[in-house]
C-alpha cells in the first residue's frame, strides 16, 4: 500500500502502520496495519496469546512498539517528541481488571484527572462525573468506594471514568472477561449504548454475540498477524480462513470434540439456510442478538 | 478395581481427641508446678527493694519525669517525620530509572542499616567539633531528629519501596491512560495506596524508634533535654537503686503498647478490607 502517512483525513481516528512488538525474543505483533474511522466499532477477536491486547495497548503507548507507527487523530503517538499525555486523553481506556483507584470514591475516580490534568474546578468536574455515572446506570453510587461495588458496577465506573475525559474514542481490553457471567450483560449494554451514540470503539473481546451484533468490523488475529477482517457476518458468520473457522468452532461450541470432520461439519452448520439457527450458534446460551436487550439499565 | 483392606491395630490407641485432651491437662499441671515453685522460693521483699522501692517510685514520679517523657515523644515524633521524608526520597531513588540515584540510595540504606545506631549517634555528637562552629537548628532537638531520623530513614525507605511495589501495575496504567504524567500518577495514585498498605509496618517502625530514642543520650544532653532512659539512669545512679529506671521503663510501655494495639487493629481491618 502506497498510502500517505498519515492520511490527514479527520475521519481516520486511529491509524496503525506495520506495527511490530517483541517481548525479548518473543515477537507478539508481526506487522499490523489498519485504520479505524470515526464512529466505527471494531472488535478484535482471536485466541489468547494472539497479540490482540498488545495491539490495543500499543495504540495508547501503554506498550512501546518495537517498530511501526501509530497515529491518533492524525498525530503520531509513537513519535519520540509526541505529547503522549495529551494524546492519551483522546483515547479512553477500559481494562480487564477495571483498575479503579481503590482509595477514591466512584465519583473521585472520575474527577481526579479532570481536576488534576484538565484543571477544571471541582464543581464542574463533579457535574461531568455525575453525568457519566448516570449514563452507566450508577446515579446513586458516586460516593461508594470500589470495594463496595460489584464487578459489573466497578467496570461501569471505569467506563464512566474514561468517558469523563470526553475522549474521541474508547479502547476496551477484554472488559467483561473478569466478570461473573450474570454481570456481563450490564457492561455490554452500556457499551452497546455507546456504540449507538457513534463512539469510535476498539474492543478486544471474547463475546462473539456482542461482536456480531455491535461491531462494524471484526478483526481476527492469530500469531501476531491479522488473519481475517471484515463485517461480522462474514468473519464470524462465514469465515473464509481455516484458522478463523477452527477458532470460532472452539469458542462457540467448546464441548465439541476435535475430530477430523470438524471443519466440514462446522461449515455446514454455518451455511445453514436458517438464519435463526446460525445466529443461535454464533451466540452463547441465552445471549443471541435478539435477547441481549435483557439486563438493560435505564 | 482394587480391594481395600483395612488393618485394625492390635494395640488399643487413644482417639486423637482424647490424646489432645490429655496433653493439655499435662501442660496445665506443669504450669501450676512452676508457679508454686516460684512463690515458695522467691523472696518478694528483696525483689521489691531492688526493683520497686516505694519511696523511690514516689520520688521518681515528678515534673522532671514528665519533662523526660515529653522529650522522648518529641525526639521520636520529629525523627519519625524526618525519617519518613528522607525514607520516601530514598525509596523513589531506589526505584529510579537513573542508575546513580539507585546506587546512592542503596549505599545509604546498606550503610545505615549495617551500623549500630549508637555509633552513628556518637559520630553525630562530634560533628560540632569536626566542622568548626557547625550546629543543627533547634539544638538539641535538631541534632537528635537528624541522627535518629537518618538511621530510621534507611529502614523506612525499604518499607516504602515494598509498599510502592505492592501497588498493582494496572494502577499506573489507568492513571497514565487518563493523561496523568508519571510524577502525578506516583503522587496521586500510587503513593496514597502504598502508604495505606505500609501503615502497620510504619507504626511498628515508630515503636522501634521510641525505644531507639533511649540511645540519643550519647550525643550529650543538658538536664532539661533528658529523655526517659537518661533521666532514669541518672536518678538510679544517685540513689544506688534501679527503681527509677524501672519507672522509666513503664513510661515507654505507656507509649508503645497503644501503638502496638493500633497496629493490630489496622492489620485486622486491612485483612477484612482485602477479603
Amino acid at each position: 500500500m502506497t498510502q500517505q502517512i498519515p492520511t490527514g483525513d479527520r475521519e481516520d481516528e486511529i491509524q496503525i502502520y506495520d506495527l511490530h512488538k517483541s517481548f525479548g525474543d518473543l515477537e507478539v505483533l508481526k506487522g499490523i496495519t489498519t485504520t479505524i474511522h470515526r464512529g466505527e466499532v471494531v472488535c478484535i477477536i482471536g485466541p489468547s496469546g494472539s497479540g490482540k491486547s498488545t495491539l490495543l495497548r500499543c495504540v495508547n503507548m501503554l506498550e512501546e512498539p518495537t517498530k511501526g507507527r501509530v497515529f491518533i487523530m492524525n498525530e503520531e503517538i509513537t513519535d519520540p517528541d509526541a505529547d503522549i499525555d495529551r494524546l492519551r486523553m483522546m483515547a479512553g481506556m477500559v481494562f480487564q481488571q477495571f483498575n479503579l483507584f481503590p482509595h477514591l470514591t466512584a465519583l473521585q475516580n472520575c474527577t481526579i484527572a479532570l481536576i488534576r490534568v484538565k484543571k477544571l474546578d471541582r464543581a464542574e468536574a463533579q457535574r461531568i462525573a455525575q453525568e457519566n455515572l448516570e449514563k452507566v446506570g450508577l446515579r446513586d453510587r458516586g460516593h461508594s468506594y470500589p470495594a463496595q461495588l460489584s464487578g459489573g458496577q466497578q467496570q461501569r465506573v471505569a467506563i464512566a471514568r474514561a468517558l469523563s475525559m470526553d475522549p474521541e474514542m474508547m479502547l476496551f481490553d477484554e472488559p467483561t472477561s473478569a466478570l461473573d457471567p450474570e454481570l456481563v450483560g450490564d457492561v455490554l449494554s452500556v457499551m452497546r449504548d455507546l456504540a449507538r451514540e457513534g463512539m469510535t470503539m476498539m474492543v478486544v473481546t471474547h463475546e462473539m454475540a456482542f461482536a456480531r451484533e455491535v461491531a462494524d468490523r471484526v478483526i481476527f488475529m492469530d500469531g501476531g498477524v491479522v488473519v481475517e477482517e471484515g463485517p461480522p457476518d462474514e468473519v464470524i458468520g462465514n469465515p473464509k480462513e481455516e484458522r478463523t473457522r477452527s477458532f470460532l468452532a472452539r469458542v462457540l461450541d467448546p464441548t465439541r470434540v476435535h475430530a477430523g470432520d470438524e471443519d466440514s461439519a462446522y461449515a455446514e452448520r454455518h451455511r445453514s439456510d436458517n438464519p435463526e439457527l446460525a445466529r443461535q450458534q454464533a451466540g452463547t446460551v441465552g445471549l443471541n442478538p435478539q435477547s441481549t436487550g435483557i439486563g438493560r439499565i435505564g | 478395581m482394587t480391594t481395600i483392606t483395612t488393618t485394625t491395630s492390635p494395640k488399643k490407641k487413644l482417639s486423637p481427641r482424647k490424646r489432645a485432651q490429655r496433653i493439655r491437662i499435662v501442660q496445665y499441671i506443669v504450669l501450676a508446678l512452676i508457679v508454686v515453685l516460684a512463690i515458695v522460693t522467691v523472696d518478694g521483699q528483696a525483689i521489691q527493694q531492688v526493683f520497686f522501692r516505694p519511696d523511690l517510685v514516689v520520688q521518681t514520679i515528678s515534673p522532671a519525669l514528665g519533662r523526660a517523657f515529653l522529650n522522648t515523644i518529641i525526639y521520636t515524633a520529629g525523627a519519625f517525620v524526618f525519617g519518613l521524608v528522607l525514607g520516601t526520597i530514598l525509596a523513589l531513588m531506589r526505584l529510579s530509572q537513573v542508575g546513580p540515584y539507585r546506587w546512592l540510595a542503596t549505599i545509604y540504606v546498606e550503610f545505615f542499616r549495617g551500623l549500630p545506631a549508637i555509633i552513628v549517634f556518637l559520630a553525630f555528637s562530634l560533628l560540632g567539633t569536626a566542622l568548626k562552629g557547625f550546629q543543627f537548628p533547634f539544638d538539641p532537638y535538631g541534632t537528635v531528629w537528624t541522627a535518629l531520623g537518618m538511621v530510621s530513614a534507611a529502614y523506612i525507605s525499604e518499607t516504602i519501596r515494598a509498599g510502592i511495589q505492592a501497588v498493582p501495575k494496572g494502577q499506573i496504567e489507568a492513571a497514565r491512560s487518563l493523561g496523568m504524567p508519571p510524577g502525578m500518577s506516583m503522587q496521586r495514585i500510587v503513593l496514597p495506596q502504598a502508604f495505606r498498605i505500609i501503615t502497620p509496618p510504619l507504626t511498628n517502625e515508630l515503636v522501634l524508634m521510641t525505644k531507639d530514642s533511649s540511645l540519643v543520650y550519647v550525643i550529650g544532653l543538658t538536664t532539661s533535654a533528658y529523655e526517659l532512659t537518661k533521666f532514669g539512669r541518672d536518678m538510679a545512679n544517685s540513689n544506688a537503686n534501679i527503681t527509677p529506671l524501672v519507672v522509666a521503663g513503664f513510661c515507654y510501655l505507656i507509649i508503645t503498647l497503644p501503638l502496638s494495639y493500633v497496629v493490630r487493629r489496622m492489620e485486622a481491618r486491612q485483612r477484612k478490607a482485602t477479603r
Side-chain angles (χ1 to χ4, degrees):
Chain A
M1 225 188 316
T2 54
Q3 204 177 12
Q4 188 197 340
I5 306 174
T7 58
D9 189 339
R10 282 192 52 79
E11 295 295 308
D12 296 342
E13 295 207 343
I14 304 172
Q15 298 167 63
I16 300 167
Y17 294 100
D18 193 31
L19 193 68
H20 290 256
K21 173 68 184 175
S22 300
F23 295 104
D25 289 337
L26 184 70
E27 194 173 21
V28 179
L29 295 178
K30 300 172 181 166
I32 306 283
T33 298
T34 192
T35 299
I36 290 159
H37 308 283
R38 177 184 300 274
E40 193 178 22
V41 177
V42 175
C43 285
I44 303 166
I45 61 172
S48 53
S50 60
K52 50 195 193 310
S53 281
T54 306
L55 171 64
L56 195 76
R57 292 161 59 82
C58 280
V59 169
N60 68 352
M61 288 287 277
L62 286 182
E63 301 288 356
E64 202 168 330
T66 318
K67 191 184 147 205
R69 308 171 76 184
V70 176
F71 296 84
I72 287 180
M73 307 303 287
N74 283 292
E75 280 188 66
E76 182 171 5
I77 194 168
T78 42
D79 183 343
D81 295 330
D83 182 353
I84 289 185
D85 294 328
R86 186 174 56 80
L87 292 173
R88 276 179 175 149
M89 274 191 270
M90 295 191 213
M93 178 101 177
V94 175
F95 300 87
Q96 180 176 356
Q97 299 295 338
F98 327 139
N99 295 350
L100 289 182
F101 306 133
H103 61 303
L104 302 178
T105 64
L107 195 72
Q108 287 168 336
N109 263 277
C110 299
T111 57
I112 185 162
L114 289 175
I115 295 169
R116 301 288 166 194
V117 182
K118 283 200 166 179
K119 308 285 181 202
L120 299 186
D121 66 65
R122 194 167 295 272
E124 174 69 358
Q126 285 177 349
R127 190 189 61 72
I128 295 171
Q130 183 61 31
E131 202 174 273
N132 283 297
L133 283 175
E134 283 175 25
K135 193 169 180 174
V136 299
L138 296 170
R139 175 195 298 272
D140 302 322
R141 300 317 295 266
H143 296 290
S144 303
Y145 283 91
Q148 300 166 319
L149 300 170
S150 74
Q153 289 172 329
Q154 287 188 50
Q155 190 61 298
R156 284 185 279 151
V157 172
I159 293 173
R161 174 175 72 179
L163 288 176
S164 293
M165 297 303 283
D166 192 23
E168 302 284 338
M169 67 206 75
M170 291 282 284
L171 310 174
F172 293 88
D173 188 4
E174 301 197 28
T176 57
S177 295
L179 294 176
D180 290 337
E182 77 270 22
L183 302 175
V184 169
D186 289 348
V187 172
L188 288 184
S189 73
V190 167
M191 291 169 64
R192 186 181 298 111
D193 289 348
L194 267 181
R196 287 212 185 103
E197 286 170 24
M199 175 63 79
T200 311
M201 289 162 64
M202 202 167 164
V203 187
V204 172
T205 187
H206 292 291
E207 299 287 338
M208 292 305 144
F210 175 82
R212 193 149 188 194
E213 180 205 347
V214 177
D216 299 304
R217 177 159 47 116
V218 171
I219 295 178
F220 172 71
M221 282 179 69
D222 192 11
V225 296
V226 172
V227 174
E228 190 168 353
E229 80 176 288
D233 282 340
E234 281 174 29
V235 178
I236 298 176
N238 186 20
K240 289 181 189 59
E241 297 292 328
E242 158 63 28
R243 275 197 279 179
T244 318
R245 280 202 294 269
S246 75
F247 167 73
L248 286 169
R250 270 172 304 170
V251 172
L252 300 181
D253 193 358
T255 56
R256 237 161 64 107
V257 186
H258 278 257
D261 65 341
E262 178 190 66
D263 300 315
S264 57
Y266 180 84
E268 204 177 314
R269 281 204 300 173
H270 279 264
R271 270 185 222 111
S272 164
D273 291 336
N274 183 346
E276 182 55 37
L277 180 65
R279 250 189 241 114
Q280 272 171 13
Q281 282 162 348
T284 47
V285 179
L287 205 81
N288 70 38
Q290 263 68 45
S291 65
T292 37
I294 56 161
R296 288 286 305 266
I297 29 146
Chain B
M1 271 291 201
T2 51
T3 46
I4 301 152
T5 52
T6 47
T7 48
T8 46
S9 74
K11 214 170 79 184
K12 223 182 155 191
K13 265 188 171 175
L14 280 171
S15 75
R17 245 174 51 172
K18 276 263 171 59
R19 259 175 58 98
Q21 195 183 21
R22 291 233 173 138
I23 289 169
R24 221 162 32 235
I25 290 170
V26 170
Q27 285 176 357
Y28 276 117
I29 291 171
V30 169
L31 183 66
L33 284 176
I34 291 172
V35 171
V36 169
L37 203 69
I39 291 171
V40 171
T41 55
V42 169
D43 180 355
Q45 201 66 30
I47 286 186
Q48 196 187 38
Q49 279 306 308
V50 174
F51 293 111
F52 308 103
R53 241 174 68 192
D55 59 313
L56 269 180
V57 170
V58 173
Q59 201 186 322
T60 307
I61 298 174
S62 61
L65 176 74
R67 165 134 219 152
F69 186 84
L70 194 66
N71 276 337
T72 290
I73 291 179
I74 293 173
Y75 289 152
T76 308
F80 187 65
V81 171
F82 188 103
L84 214 52
V85 172
L86 185 57
T88 306
I89 296 170
L90 285 168
L92 292 174
M93 281 171 72
R94 284 203 85 169
L95 296 169
S96 165
Q97 312 265 350
V98 184
Y101 280 146
R102 283 200 305 273
W103 307 330
L104 276 175
T106 307
I107 290 168
Y108 181 99
V109 169
E110 295 304 335
F111 184 80
F112 280 99
R113 278 206 308 189
L115 277 182
I118 197 159
I119 292 180
V120 178
F121 296 160
L122 277 169
F124 257 76
S125 68
L126 296 173
L127 269 186
T129 322
L131 310 165
K132 280 272 171 282
F134 175 82
Q135 209 183 2
F136 284 98
F138 308 112
D139 197 60
Y141 296 106
T143 317
V144 171
W145 289 339
T146 313
L148 197 53
M150 280 181 74
V151 172
S152 66
Y155 295 93
I156 289 177
S157 78
E158 285 297 275
T159 306
I160 294 176
R161 185 170 67 115
I164 291 173
Q165 287 174 329
V167 176
K169 199 164 146 268
Q171 291 291 313
I172 285 259
E173 291 181 351
R176 298 305 310 275
S177 77
L178 290 168
M180 290 192 194
M184 189 191 287
S185 309
M186 180 57 80
Q187 187 200 342
R188 298 281 166 192
I189 304 302
V190 176
L191 283 183
Q193 293 182 58
F195 273 97
R196 187 168 298 194
I197 294 168
I198 62 174
T199 309
L202 271 187
T203 315
N204 269 331
E205 180 62 29
L206 188 58
V207 171
L208 291 176
M209 283 178 72
T210 309
K211 296 186 295 175
D212 278 356
S213 71
S214 66
L215 296 174
V216 300
Y217 73 89
V218 297
I219 288 174
L221 301 168
T222 56
T223 320
S224 65
Y226 278 4
E227 39 66 55
L228 281 170
T229 304
K230 179 67 176 160
F231 168 81
R233 263 170 58 125
D234 261 29
M235 217 167 146
N237 283 341
S238 55
N239 288 289
N241 186 290
I242 205 174
T243 302
L245 207 48
V246 172
V247 173
F250 275 103
C251 289
Y252 280 105
L253 289 178
I254 293 175
I255 304 172
T256 54
L257 286 184
L259 283 175
S260 302
Y261 174 74
V262 169
V263 171
R264 272 203 308 280
R265 283 287 298 271
M266 283 188 299
E267 280 172 344
R269 223 178 50 196
Q270 254 179 20
R271 265 198 301 277
K272 230 167 67 184
T274 46
R275 256 168 281 205

